[in-house]
Amino acid sequence: MFDSIVLVSNRQPYRHEYAADDEDPDGPDPGTDGCGGVVSDGGTSELAGEPAEAVDGRSVTVERPTGGLTAGLDPVLREVGGTWVAWGDGEADRAAADDRGRVQVPPEDPAYTLQRVWLDEPEVDAYYRGYSNRVLWPTCHGLPLLIEDRDGDFDGYRRVNRRFADAAIEHAGPDTLVWLQDYHLALAPESIANATPPTTTVGQFWHVPWPTPSILARCPHGRRILEGLLGNDLLGFHVDRYAQRFLGCVDRFLPDADVNYETGVVRRGERRTRVTATPLGVDAERHDRQSRSVDPGVFDSLEDALDLGGVGALALGVDRLDYSKGIPERIAAVERFLERWPSWRGEFTFVQTASPSRTEIPAYEALGDRVRRAVDRVNDRFATDDWRPIVYTEAHLSREELCALYRRADLMLVTPLCDGMNLVAQEYVAASADGAGALCLSRDAGAHDVFGEHAYSIDPRRPDDVAETIRSALTAPSSERRRRMTELRRDVFERDLNWWMGRQFDDLTLTRRPDPATLPGRAGSGDRK
């Protein structure tokens, strides 16, 4: 292992919030991602709040993730120690930290340092709501028409990346692993590599898709993003097609780089970057355990709350309200299904949960309006006095309620137009303890590259085909559905979150101690300035 680990991410593992009052602490709605995230880009997560000691005479709650990557990495740092650098976005974060922005976590048994980076509102707007989510997000998801290049956003992104890099550099030594997460921090690796010893290992995992060269050509400052990422010794993607696209972009836009597609190695000057693909998994055992332990009354309560009216066949969608998730196209497919097979009217209900996300960005606000209008149109067309074809909710669902829906759903519709991996698909499979459900999975999700053989594959842009697949999955013999689900569960349990983390650390360790005959060595002191 490394002497120390510095993990760098936009989102922090622990957030401090002032309680609404001393008796009834209340934090932000955990169903939305706001600025800093609660629901991940590919899956679902919650924040658990718990009372902490008073700070400045006020009660404070400590919120921590109970799912997703952040929760998965927290035990790693608890075990090995080190530092987690992240944006301090909680209302009470400054009061809880020392004058250098540091706080020891977890609060009940401190094991590592949380180093918070402070951002003011203009910086948040430029770095997070601006370049990260108005430029990089639509670029990576293959939607260049939604790119919004505002004046000053890239400069803000660059400055904030430098601030994250400086915080990481302060904690990095000769045998430190600096491990960055995701698209918010594309420029930081180059800054870190230039300012740390040659034996410091810099790695990053890119959790969203990587675009084709033709799409990246339309991304403002796309070349600088490539240059920043080549500061890494190891750059990880979910699946090989994203890794190959990245290599293709480097080959096209950085003529001074030497790209080896077979080994996944990029050489540029004295720097060498190894590009790998390792699909992210979920904590499958936890989802299975929670699903099996859910009281049947939880679904009964949901049935009343959502006014399901004694649902027959149940299809389910669970997403952030994001334009990459294909929700309008999914609704159109449900409409086409009811048109073509009217015998399912009154016997089939589609439940769509959507967590509002990045609502300050016009494209997201417009999407929400479009989805709600589509739901109303289909319900106005087909609903009866005691049945609605689509039940749509933006309310936060607890983990227990979500598990109850997973367990009950006959069909899971995962239809993103483009998705880095999609953890919801894996959560559904892990929670399908009865083995009777069916997963309809978009070919454009990274998960399809890994698990698509046993899912019902769909092209989310072709509503007729999706409608036909819905019918096929609902009418398939139970033996076929169980066979598919058994294979899916085997794959999801074998490639779970722990498997992913083990593979990541194996790759990072190999990068740290390469065999010159098979892997690129670390460049010499000329790499760092």
Side-chain angles (χ1 to χ4, degrees), residues 244-275:
Q244 291 298 309
R245 286 179 186 175
F246 177 81
L247 295 174
C249 287
V250 173
D251 205 8
R252 175 172 170 180
F253 298 112
L254 299 180
D256 58 336
D258 178 45
V259 177
N260 188 318
Y261 289 90
E262 185 175 345
T263 63
V265 172
V266 177
R267 299 171 185 250
R268 187 169 183 252
E270 294 184 342
R271 289 231 175 98
R272 299 182 183 105
T273 301
R274 182 176 170 222
V275 180

Side-chain angles (χ1 to χ4, degrees), residues 35-68:
C35 297
V38 174
V39 177
S40 70
D41 290 331
T44 60
S45 176
E46 295 180 51
L47 285 179
E50 55 190 52
E53 63 184 42
V55 176
D56 294 338
R58 298 177 62 184
S59 295
V60 167
T61 59
V62 180
E63 297 182 340
R64 68 186 72 203
T66 61

Side-chain angles (χ1 to χ4, degrees), residues 489-506:
R489 284 174 62 81
R490 177 181 57 79
D491 291 343
V492 167
F493 277 80
E494 285 182 356
R495 298 192 179 199
D496 64 359
L497 179 60
N498 287 332
W499 173 86
W500 177 84
M501 287 193 291
R503 285 285 300 271
Q504 284 294 290
F505 278 104
D506 285 348

